[in-house]
């Protein structure tokens, strides 16, 4: 199947995303710096519209050398939070932070001459 053009790279601001309906699916395209990450708009938990969730910084815990908590912090990574039940996924890897087997389904995405293309293998 040929690549499908869905929009222009410059239409998505850094840290933002757009959802495109194409090839019978909805796909969220997220921009992180100069990179794009595309995920099916289908949460692996129960099918919710994951790409319509809010984006938050990942929260981590600062530990002392003795493994005592020194408080919480932002790690610098971004998570999208499913609007149905709150599962979180890393925007860049699609992985759930607590279960590497629970992850978003990625769609290959590329940019040619400023246009965004999605590649569907089925
Ligand atoms: S459907 Fe996404 S957390 Fe339940």
């Amino acid at each position: 199947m040929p690549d499908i053009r869905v929009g222009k790279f410059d239409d998505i601001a850094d840290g933002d995303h757009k959802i495109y309906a194409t090839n019978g699916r909805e796909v969220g395209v997220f921009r992180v710096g100069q990179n794009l990450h595309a995920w099916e708009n289908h949460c692996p938990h129960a099918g919710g519209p994951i790409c319509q969730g809010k984006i938050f910084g990942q929260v981590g815990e600062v530990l002392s050398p003795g493994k005592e908590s020194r408080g919480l912090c932002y790690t610098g990574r971004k998570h999208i939070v499913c609007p149905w039940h709150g599962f979180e996924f890393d925007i860049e890897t699609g992985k759930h932070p607590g279960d590497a087997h629970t992850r978003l389904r990625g769609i290959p995405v590329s940019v040619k001459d400023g246009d965004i293309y999605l590649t569907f293998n089925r």
Side-chain angles (χ1 to χ4, degrees), residues 43-50 82-87 89:
C43 180
H45 175 231
I50 179 64
C82 183
W84 280 12
H85 311 106
F87 276 38
F89 299 90

